[in-house]
Amino acid sequence: EPEVTQTPSHQVTQMGQEVILRCVPISNHLYFYWYRQILGQKVEFLVSFYNNEISEKSEIFDDQFSVERPDGSNFTLKIRSTKLEDSAMYFCASRETSGPPDTQYFGPGTRLTVL
Amino acid sequence: GQNIDQPTEMTATEGAIVQINCTYQTSGFNGLFWYQQHAGEAPTFLSYNVLDGLEEKGRFSSFLSRSKGYSYLLLKELQMKDSASYLCASMDSNYQLIWGAGTKLIIKP
């Protein structure tokens, strides 16, 4: 069964450093998402991406965040200058079509720890 | 504003039935999703409702009342592996998922 994959599974970085989180969505999917979940808290939407551009973004997704689809398979989230409060699980998700009932399929997540 | 409310934690006994409630208020509505999330893992899709009524899928059923902004997830014949958080999420008019904080379900033998 096709699945969303994410690398790395764990990332430890120093405050102020740049990190790039990588995702490979399911191959025939057209819509891509990044979410984060701070430990013990709710899942929070960061950004959605379609047709090589951002379609929606949340207040969390400020200028230090960027997304890119550098080739036909990868979808990346870059955090330019990490802060302690960026420590969280970051989930990538993808779905095939624009409307329901199509569901989003989640990758296993990257646990980011900022020291 | 947009808001999803669900109980923080519930406890049930192996073999029993449990109902997890969710109320939602979102800008527009394109369906109500339930996801299961084991600790440290990604959410996995359980069910989707867009019309009023009950959707049954094996041991899990989900109900929706759009007029009341209410849904529930019903889990039957509980197994120890069902111990997890259950996330209610409403899809708004922009097809974005608005998430509840999750209900941690503890199953006791």
Side-chain angles (χ1 to χ4, degrees):
Chain A
E1 184 176 330
E3 58 183 17
V4 178
T5 59
Q6 290 184 242
T7 54
S9 56
H10 292 81
Q11 175 86 52
V12 180
T13 190
Q14 296 291 324
M15 189 171 57
Q17 296 295 304
E18 174 183 287
V19 294
I20 298 176
L21 310 182
R22 292 183 166 79
C23 169
V24 178
I26 295 173
S27 63
N28 63 335
H29 285 191
L30 302 176
Y31 294 80
F32 314 118
Y33 303 82
W34 282 102
Y35 294 89
R36 80 171 184 190
Q37 187 176 32
I38 296 170
L39 185 64
Q41 297 186 24
K42 66 168 67 176
V43 176
E44 298 174 292
F45 167 74
L46 292 178
V47 66
S48 59
F49 192 87
Y50 170 69
N51 200 26
N52 285 320
E53 61 182 25
I54 291 173
S55 48
E56 298 284 339
K57 61 182 181 180
S58 71
E59 292 177 353
I60 303 168
F61 194 88
D62 60 22
D63 292 344
Q64 71 161 343
F65 290 93
S66 62
V67 290
E68 197 176 38
R69 188 155 165 83
D71 53 42
S73 59
N74 289 285
F75 179 51
T76 62
L77 174 69
K78 181 191 289 185
I79 310 175
R80 288 191 184 82
S81 178
T82 51
K83 299 178 284 205
L84 295 177
E85 54 264 39
D86 293 328
S87 294
M89 282 288 284
Y90 287 81
F91 294 109
C92 172
S94 70
R95 67 186 170 102
E96 187 173 2
T97 61
S98 62
D102 196 38
T103 190
Q104 297 180 24
Y105 293 90
F106 283 74
T110 293
R111 181 175 296 282
L112 176 65
T113 301
V114 182
L115 301 176
Chain B
Q2 309 207 91
N3 198 46
I4 309 287
D5 283 316
Q6 53 182 128
T8 305
E9 186 174 296
M10 298 181 72
T11 302
T13 305
E14 190 177 15
I17 299 173
V18 70
Q19 177 175 312
I20 303 174
N21 296 323
C22 170
T23 57
Y24 63 90
Q25 280 182 305
T26 51
S27 302
F29 180 73
N30 279 300
L32 196 290
F33 290 78
W34 284 95
Y35 280 79
Q36 182 190 59
Q37 187 179 29
H38 286 98
E41 298 183 10
T44 55
F45 171 74
L46 288 178
S47 69
Y48 168 78
N49 295 68
V50 68
L51 299 176
D52 289 349
L54 189 68
E55 295 277 345
E56 297 186 71
K57 192 187 291 186
R59 293 189 299 115
F60 292 7
S61 303
S62 56
F63 171 83
L64 176 68
S65 169
R66 288 173 296 171
S67 62
K68 296 181 179 177
Y70 167 70
S71 172
Y72 68 72
L73 180 69
L74 191 72
L75 293 79
K76 303 175 186 175
E77 300 169 19
L78 286 170
Q79 302 174 8
M80 297 303 291
K81 67 178 182 180
D82 297 330
S83 292
S85 285
Y86 290 86
L87 313 181
C88 175
S90 174
M91 184 173 275
D92 69 9
S93 55
N94 293 319
Y95 298 108
Q96 300 302 324
L97 284 176
I98 310 301
W99 296 85
T103 298
K104 183 178 180 181
L105 178 62
I106 299 167
I107 311 295
K108 295 187 174 180

